[in-house]
Amino acid sequence: MAAVFGLAVLLILGAGEWATRNELETQWDNLRRSSEVQALALRGVATRYSYLPFTAAQQPLVADLLRHPASQSVREAANAYLQAVNAHAGSDTLYLMDDKGLTLASSNWDTPSSFVDQNYSNRPYFRDALHGQAGRFYGVGKTTGEPGLFASAPVQRDGKVIGVVAVKVRMQPIVDTWAQLLDPVFVTDERGILFLGSVSSWLYKTSKPLPVEAVRQVQHDEQYGAQWQPAPVPWKLLQRPDQPGAELRLPGSGKHYLAFAEHLPDLGWTLTLTADSKVVALARQQAWALASLASGLLVLGALYWQLRERRLQENRQARIELEQRVHERTHALQQAQAFRQSMEDSLLVGMRARDLQGRIVYVNAAMCDMVGYAASELIGCLPPYPYWHPDDLDRHWNDSDTSLAGKATPQGNENRLRHRNGSDVYTMFYTARLIDGDGRHIGWMSSVVDITAQKRAEEQQQQREAQLQRVQRVITVGEMASTLAHELNQPLAALVNYAAAARALAAQGRTELLNESLAALSTQALRAADIVGRIRRWVRQHPEAREPCDLNAAVDQSLGLLLRAEARRHGVAVRLDLAPEPLRVRADRVLLEQVVLNLGLNALQAMQVHATPPMDHELLLRTRADAGHACLEVQDRGPGLPPEIAERLFEPFFTTRSDGLGLGLNICRSIVESMGGELLARNREGGGAVFEIRLPLHATPPVASP
């Protein structure tokens, strides 16, 4: 019997221990799950209005008040704006402070507890925003004495913080939810001060000793009221190393709770949920009773087990329902916040929301102003919409069908709308899918940008460009005429000289020399005709005049035409430094010779106006091959190229000579560039100038072997 009795005792004790552990695990699991739900709800309330200070800080009216705080009209407008935004968002108070912490405008400006003219420079959220950071702070209001969560954002202009916008949010709704729970729920800050909870007598008491510096800081910030003094909470918290939480004891009351702490590092808070430990004791006592009657009351034991499982199922079902309600409420808050956020982000452009059938379900004020219709006149409308332009109905139908089919281009569509007053409004429509909180596609959201001013500016620009093209054609005609006159000047001068020589030789009866002069005269006449034809083809950009030719031969031909005779007439020595091998290029031979002749004549004229002695005058023509190019340098000993002249050297109609047209160098450069080369100019070492022609070398095809 003793053994049986001992076994019974062991069974009873084992059953009690098992029941205790099982119930503890159940309670800890319940607390863990509840803490996840409550933490989600707490974060949702704490961050619900964090966007509001930043959005209000972007309002130009806020910056105007900070720049002109003494302006009554600006202050009234700012008060009205903050009051409207606060009422629309549903927050407690929205207010603006200058960089000294003085409140200039507030949404509650017309109430007895107005924040206007109150100074909050000692608040941490003000200091954080003043340093360019978003601030968050929970405390008792200095003006109203009511606690709340304060969020702030800086007002910046030109990289400098000029003020702070803050919003106050009451946390009472979540406290009211906790009040419906049977066991205490509370939140402590990073210092261990209990500031939010279902037991009001515990508020603003400390859960651990505070350093003197921490007490002074809380009192300086007036976080929990101007008269706050540290006082310990009326309970003790005992850590349980073998459990995921602690045991909370209320001395004098005999109450014990299981306490589970959830740290919220993003908020700097700690959320603690409790459960009465009587449930564990009751489970242990029930296990003892069941174990005592187990040998003879199996049926009753089975019934008890069924009842126990039913109670656990009911608890689980109740927990699931609570989690579902919290999830639905959080989901609704997220939906509202996402919708309001998109509205706030698009205040400067028109916004239009349509369902999947194309029915307008929302328009903002900017859209109404753009088309002249009230929101009540547009919401519920199906295509065709009243602001569609009657001349573009086909295009409007096509764009609408494309958007509703999900094929709108990301670059947007340009549309012409008809304002209610009959004026035309040019817009750009950008359409994207409208997604609800469950990820379902419920319609289309369009951003509408008014580009009427841009279109008018483009039309004016097109008109100016057309006028510029007409002026350019007139200038081109003048340049062609000047070019032709300039290029024919040398061969015509040669014709006059040869004709005069022919008359003199005819009078003298020198037949042989007369025939040579007449042959040279005929050659110059043909050259003039060739120049006219080549210039005509060059102007028309006909490339067929190009042919392989030798740059050295072009230099020799230019010397024989006029250059050497002009050099002798001016008393200038001509020196050649030509490459030993032919420098073959693909170019228009006549125009290339004309460029060489023009550059040589320019060099002779430059040396005539220079004050150096005539014996120092020298014209050097040098050719060479350099990195796949054939190069010709025309070097003189003239005055060189001053910086102010070098910058404008190739501009049309720029000249330093009183009788010049200013087209020679511009024409020469155009001819060289048309042949794929370039014309460069620089000062010559020792005095004078160097003009260099660089043309691509033309490869000679190899001769086939017999």
Side-chain angles (χ1 to χ4, degrees):
M1 290 299 295
V4 174
F5 180 77
L7 180 59
V9 171
L10 290 176
L11 288 175
I12 292 172
L13 293 177
E17 184 65 18
W18 173 84
T20 300
R21 291 183 177 275
N22 185 67
E23 189 63 30
L24 278 173
E25 291 178 359
T26 301
Q27 292 300 322
W28 287 126
D29 186 60
N30 291 342
L31 288 174
R32 185 182 296 106
R33 292 179 180 271
S34 297
S35 68
E36 293 176 356
V37 174
Q38 296 299 339
L40 179 62
L42 188 61
R43 283 192 177 95
V45 175
T47 60
R48 178 181 177 183
Y49 297 100
S50 58
Y51 74 95
L52 199 56
F54 175 79
T55 302
Q58 311 307 310
Q59 171 60 241
L61 185 60
V62 170
D64 291 343
L65 180 56
L66 290 171
R67 287 195 296 267
H68 310 287
S71 173
Q72 187 62 28
S73 60
V74 177
R75 183 184 291 260
E76 291 175 357
N79 281 330
Y81 167 74
L82 295 177
Q83 189 176 44
V85 173
N86 184 72
H88 180 72
S91 53
D92 186 60
T93 309
L94 184 64
Y95 52 102
L96 169 66
M97 296 166 283
D98 63 15
D99 58 357
K100 302 297 186 301
L102 181 64
T103 303
L104 303 179
S106 175
S107 62
N108 63 354
W109 63 274
D110 55 349
T111 64
S113 57
S114 171
F115 288 5
V116 177
D117 296 331
Q118 299 293 325
N119 193 291
Y120 302 108
S121 60
N122 66 324
R123 294 295 203 176
Y125 67 85
F126 172 79
R127 297 194 296 269
D128 292 342
L130 201 61
H131 287 86
Q133 303 173 353
R136 184 185 288 114
F137 170 78
Y138 185 92
V140 176
K142 293 176 58 176
T143 304
T144 63
E146 296 180 357
L149 179 66
F150 299 83
S152 63
V155 181
Q156 297 183 353
R157 287 298 180 272
D158 299 327
K160 180 181 178 183
V161 177
I162 62 175
V164 175
V165 178
V167 62
K168 179 180 180 182
V169 182
R170 294 178 68 250
M171 304 289 285
Q172 192 60 35
I174 197 168
V175 175
D176 294 339
T177 302
W178 293 346
Q180 301 175 8
L181 303 177
L182 298 177
D183 303 318
V185 180
F186 56 88
V187 182
T188 56
D189 62 16
E190 66 274 8
R191 297 185 178 93
I193 302 176
L194 194 153
F195 66 91
L196 199 66
S198 58
V199 183
S200 59
S201 60
W202 295 357
L203 294 179
Y204 314 133
K205 290 182 170 53
T206 61
S207 62
K208 60 183 179 181
L210 296 182
V212 177
E213 294 78 6
V215 174
R216 290 176 179 173
Q217 186 64 47
V218 173
Q219 292 174 342
H220 173 268
D221 297 341
E222 300 183 46
Q223 185 171 4
Y224 302 118
Q227 307 301 323
W228 178 84
Q229 293 293 334
V233 292
W235 41 258
K236 294 183 179 180
L237 203 62
L238 302 178
Q239 297 296 328
R240 300 170 65 105
D242 58 336
Q243 299 294 333
E247 182 179 352
L248 189 148
R249 294 183 179 182
L250 291 174
S253 66
K255 291 185 177 181
H256 294 177
Y257 295 93
L258 300 177
F260 183 85
E262 177 75 17
H263 297 289
L264 309 176
D266 53 330
L267 300 177
W269 301 343
T270 300
L271 170 67
T272 303
L273 280 78
T274 64
D276 198 335
S277 61
K278 291 190 301 183
V279 178
V280 179
L282 179 61
R284 182 169 53 248
Q285 294 171 2
Q286 291 174 347
W288 288 342
L290 287 174
S292 300
L293 300 175
S295 58
L297 302 173
L298 293 178
V299 176
L300 292 177
L303 179 60
Y304 171 80
W305 182 260
Q306 184 179 8
L307 292 175
R308 174 181 170 80
E309 288 298 320
R310 180 181 299 175
R311 183 171 65 84
L312 294 176
Q313 180 63 29
E314 289 174 353
N315 289 342
R316 286 193 292 268
Q317 185 63 33
R319 185 175 66 249
I320 292 174
E321 291 176 357
L322 177 60
E323 292 176 355
Q324 182 64 27
R325 288 198 299 269
V326 173
H327 179 269
E328 291 174 355
R329 185 171 181 181
T330 304
H331 177 69
L333 290 174
Q334 291 174 344
Q335 287 285 83
Q337 180 181 356
F339 189 75
R340 284 193 298 270
Q341 186 69 44
S342 63
M343 292 277 292
E344 294 292 340
D345 292 341
S346 304
L347 287 177
L348 299 180
V349 300
M351 300 296 297
R352 182 195 67 186
R354 298 185 295 171
D355 61 16
L356 296 175
Q357 287 72 41
R359 181 180 289 102
I360 297 177
V361 296
Y362 168 78
V363 288
N364 67 347
M367 182 65 185
C368 294
D369 294 341
M370 200 176 298
V371 298
Y373 292 91
S376 58
E377 296 177 289
L378 296 177
I379 293 178
C381 288
L382 286 167
Y385 305 126
Y387 51 77
W388 278 7
H389 199 286
D391 296 339
D392 297 341
L393 288 179
D394 291 341
R395 179 171 182 176
H396 285 305
W397 276 112
N398 181 66
D399 290 347
S400 178
D401 293 341
T402 301
S403 299
L404 293 178
K407 299 179 180 179
T409 61
Q411 294 79 14
N413 293 322
E414 180 179 330
N415 282 298
R416 180 175 59 161
L417 307 181
R418 175 62 60 86
H419 193 276
R420 190 167 193 167
N421 62 12
S423 62
D424 290 348
V425 181
Y426 292 90
T427 60
M428 285 294 295
F429 274 74
Y430 302 90
T431 302
R433 291 174 177 266
L434 187 61
I435 307 299
D436 66 3
D438 295 326
R440 295 177 301 177
H441 177 208
I442 61 173
W444 306 93
M445 175 63 75
S446 297
S447 302
V448 187
V449 181
D450 188 345
I451 60 170
T452 304
Q454 177 183 343
K455 293 291 291 185
R456 292 174 180 169
E458 290 176 356
E459 292 176 357
Q460 294 176 357
Q461 180 65 23
Q462 291 175 356
Q463 294 176 359
R464 288 193 293 267
E465 290 178 355
Q467 294 175 355
L468 182 62
Q469 291 175 359
R470 288 195 294 271
V471 172
Q472 186 65 34
R473 286 195 294 271
V474 173
I475 293 175
T476 301
V477 172
E479 289 182 350
M480 290 174 59
S482 300
T483 300
L484 187 60
H486 187 277
E487 296 299 327
L488 289 176
N489 184 50
Q490 284 83 10
L492 291 178
L495 286 172
V496 172
N497 292 335
Y498 284 127
R503 284 195 302 269
L505 293 172
Q508 297 173 9
R510 303 171 67 179
T511 306
E512 182 179 353
L513 294 177
L514 175 60
N515 290 333
E516 292 179 359
S517 296
L518 291 176
L521 188 148
S522 176
T523 300
Q524 291 301 318
L526 292 175
R527 176 176 176 79
D530 196 8
I531 288 175
V532 172
R534 295 298 178 93
I535 290 180
R536 182 186 300 125
R537 287 192 297 273
W538 174 60
V539 170
R540 293 179 180 177
Q541 298 181 353
H542 286 177
E544 61 273 6
R546 295 189 190 181
E547 58 185 0
C549 57
D550 182 12
L551 185 58
N552 291 338
V555 173
D556 290 335
Q557 183 66 21
S558 300
L559 287 172
L561 288 176
L562 189 62
L563 192 55
R564 195 181 300 277
E566 284 294 313
R568 284 195 301 268
R569 189 170 65 86
H570 291 295
V572 176
V574 178
R575 188 161 61 91
L576 297 180
D577 183 8
L578 303 182
E581 70 282 352
L583 298 177
R584 300 189 64 78
V585 296
R586 188 171 180 81
D588 189 312
R589 179 181 52 79
V590 174
L591 293 180
L592 180 58
E593 294 172 0
Q594 194 67 32
V595 170
V596 177
L597 182 60
N598 287 347
L599 294 179
L601 293 177
N602 283 348
L604 295 176
Q605 292 169 357
M607 286 186 284
Q608 290 302 309
V609 299
H610 195 36
T612 58
M615 67 284 299
D616 294 336
H617 291 176
E618 177 192 60
L619 176 61
L620 172 62
L621 300 178
R622 174 180 293 161
T623 62
R624 57 188 172 86
D626 180 27
H629 287 79
C631 302
L632 166 63
E633 294 180 354
V634 180
Q635 303 184 13
D636 62 51
R637 287 297 183 186
L641 302 173
E644 63 275 8
I645 294 179
E647 292 178 356
R648 306 182 58 192
L649 195 61
F650 295 103
E651 291 182 8
F653 305 108
F654 173 76
T655 180
T656 58
R657 305 203 322 263
S658 59
D659 59 344
L661 293 176
L663 290 172
L665 289 177
N666 178 263
I667 294 171
C668 289
R669 186 177 66 172
S670 299
I671 293 174
V672 173
E673 290 178 350
S674 70
M675 299 175 187
E678 56 181 342
L679 177 60
L680 307 175
R682 62 181 181 274
N683 285 313
R684 183 180 181 184
E685 185 177 354
V690 178
F691 286 82
E692 181 181 2
I693 299 173
R694 294 178 61 88
L695 292 171
L697 280 171
H698 178 66
T700 303
V703 178
S705 300

